[in-house]
Amino acid sequence: MSATAETTTTARLTARGAKTRERIVEAAAELMYVRGVGSTTLDDVRTASGASKSQLYRHFANKDEIVRAVIELMGERVIQREQQALGGVSNIEGLRRWRDALVQNNALRHGAYGCALGSFASEVSDHDDVARRALHALFAEWKDLLAGAIRRMQENGKLSAGAPVDELATGLLGAVQGGYMLAQTAHDVTPMGTSIDMALAHIQSLSSG
C-alpha cells in the first residue's frame, strides 16, 4: 500500500472512530440527563448508542470518563446558549428577555430534570474531583457572562457605579440554579420565574436613575 493510500485509510478510520465516540457521548448525555448519572449503566449507554463493547472501551476506560465527556458536551451547549443570549445585553430589559427564554424553555418540560449542569453537579461533585473542577469552571464562565451584561449596564449609566458586579452575577446565577431545583420538585416553572425576578429586582434597585 502506498503512503498516500495508507494515510487516507488511517484518516477514514480516525473519522469513523470520532463519529463512534460522538455517538456514545450523545447517547450517554441523553440518558444521564433524564435518568441521572447513578441510574445509567455502561450497558445502557452501549445499547442506546449502538456501539459494541469493544468500541465503547476503545474510547472510554470506565464510566467516569464518559461522565466527564458528557459534562464537556453539555457545558459547551449551555455556554454557547448563554453567550448568544447574553452577549448583547446591556440593560435590565435585556436581562428580563434572557430570563423569559430560560423559564419558557424549562416550561416545555414542566420543570423536569432541572439544569443540565446543576443536575450533574449534584450527582458527581462529591466523588469525582475532575468532574467537579470542570463544572466549577463552567459555572464560573456562566457567571462571567452574566457579569459582562451587568457591567455593560454600569458602563452605559444604567447601574450605579458602585454596584458590586461580580457579586450580583453570582447572586443571579444562584437564583437561576435554585429556581431550576424548585421547578424540578414542583414540576412547575413558577418558582423559577419568581427566583430570577427577585434577583433582577435587586439589580434594578441599584439603578443610577
Side-chain angles (χ1 to χ4, degrees):
M1 180 184 294
S2 68
T4 301
E6 185 174 353
T7 299
T8 301
T9 300
T10 301
R12 188 181 301 118
L13 290 172
T14 300
R16 187 180 303 155
K19 287 183 179 296
T20 299
R21 186 185 188 279
E22 181 181 352
R23 193 170 71 246
I24 291 169
V25 176
E26 290 276 2
E30 179 67 21
L31 287 170
M32 290 177 180
Y33 180 51
V34 174
R35 296 184 183 179
V37 173
S39 298
T40 301
T41 67
L42 291 178
D43 282 341
D44 292 333
V45 174
R46 187 171 55 79
T47 300
S49 65
S52 67
K53 198 167 188 176
S54 63
Q55 285 176 317
L56 189 146
Y57 282 105
R58 186 177 301 129
H59 294 285
F60 302 100
N62 51 47
K63 183 176 173 180
D64 283 347
E65 288 192 0
I66 295 179
V67 171
R68 293 164 191 169
V70 168
I71 289 171
E72 181 180 1
L73 173 66
M74 289 193 158
E76 287 175 357
R77 290 175 176 173
V78 169
I79 295 303
Q80 184 179 56
R81 181 197 72 201
E82 294 302 286
Q83 285 172 336
Q84 292 173 348
L86 291 165
V89 171
S90 60
N91 53 43
I92 195 69
E93 290 78 16
L95 284 177
R96 289 201 182 99
R97 288 193 294 272
W98 160 81
R99 170 264 191 214
D100 290 345
L102 277 185
V103 173
Q104 289 167 11
N105 184 62
N106 201 26
L108 297 175
R109 304 186 300 268
H110 304 289
Y113 314 125
C115 169
L117 298 186
S119 297
F120 274 83
S122 67
E123 286 205 70
V124 307
S125 293
D126 291 334
H127 67 262
D128 185 343
D129 203 50
V130 174
R132 180 193 64 78
R133 289 196 302 270
L135 287 160
H136 175 70
L138 288 165
F139 279 120
E141 192 170 354
W142 193 346
K143 189 268 289 184
D144 287 346
L145 290 169
L146 289 167
I150 297 169
R151 189 170 290 109
R152 286 190 292 275
M153 291 175 60
Q154 196 173 56
E155 291 169 349
N156 66 21
K158 301 294 185 181
L159 193 66
S160 168
V165 172
D166 284 339
E167 288 87 346
L168 291 172
T170 297
L172 183 51
L173 182 56
V176 169
Q177 291 303 312
Y180 268 119
M181 182 184 68
L182 293 173
Q184 185 176 6
T185 55
H187 275 198
D188 178 3
V189 296
T190 302
M192 179 183 182
T194 300
S195 296
I196 303 174
D197 285 343
M198 294 297 290
L200 293 179
H202 178 60
I203 292 172
Q204 188 171 21
S205 75
L206 300 175
S207 169
S208 60

